[in-house]
Amino acid sequence: MKGSSPSPQQYTLVYKIGIFFTAAFGLYLGIHGLYLIIVDRNFVAGIPLFIAALLIAPPPIGIYGMVKDKFNVELSMALRMIIATLMLFIAWLNLP
């Protein structure tokens, strides 16, 4: 059928897969950022990677919920992605 919308089960599955990959990517960035900070002593590349991981990761890992509750600042997803992209760009420029 053309023009039919997906069923709620399909939508939920796609949403869960998206959250999983976002969490996995955030976890990878966080671990890599901590590795750069602790092992390589490359703070200029490690800190932006770790901050990007905290911004990208969903609530159990990320800091969005804490910032929203403690500081009463609500960051949109677009703003978080822009900040995370800038952090990734800074880290990319400073990697050996």
Side-chain angles (χ1 to χ4, degrees), residues 9-91:
Q9 290 84 12
Q10 290 173 333
Y11 180 77
T12 305
L13 178 66
V14 170
Y15 185 74
K16 286 179 181 178
I17 291 172
I19 288 178
F20 171 76
F21 282 115
T22 304
F25 185 62
L27 212 60
Y28 170 75
L29 285 179
I31 291 170
H32 191 68
L34 285 175
Y35 174 82
L36 287 173
I37 292 169
I38 296 170
V39 177
D40 283 348
R41 301 282 190 227
N42 189 353
F43 298 107
V44 179
I47 291 174
L49 277 179
F50 192 71
I51 291 172
L54 291 178
L55 287 172
I56 290 174
I61 302 166
I63 62 168
Y64 173 67
M66 183 198 67
V67 169
K68 185 178 173 185
D69 293 340
K70 298 286 183 185
F71 302 113
N72 203 16
V73 175
E74 195 165 336
L75 301 172
S76 67
M77 179 58 90
L79 182 61
R80 287 190 285 164
M81 288 296 130
I82 290 170
I83 294 170
T85 304
L86 286 173
M87 292 291 134
L88 290 172
F89 185 70
I90 290 169

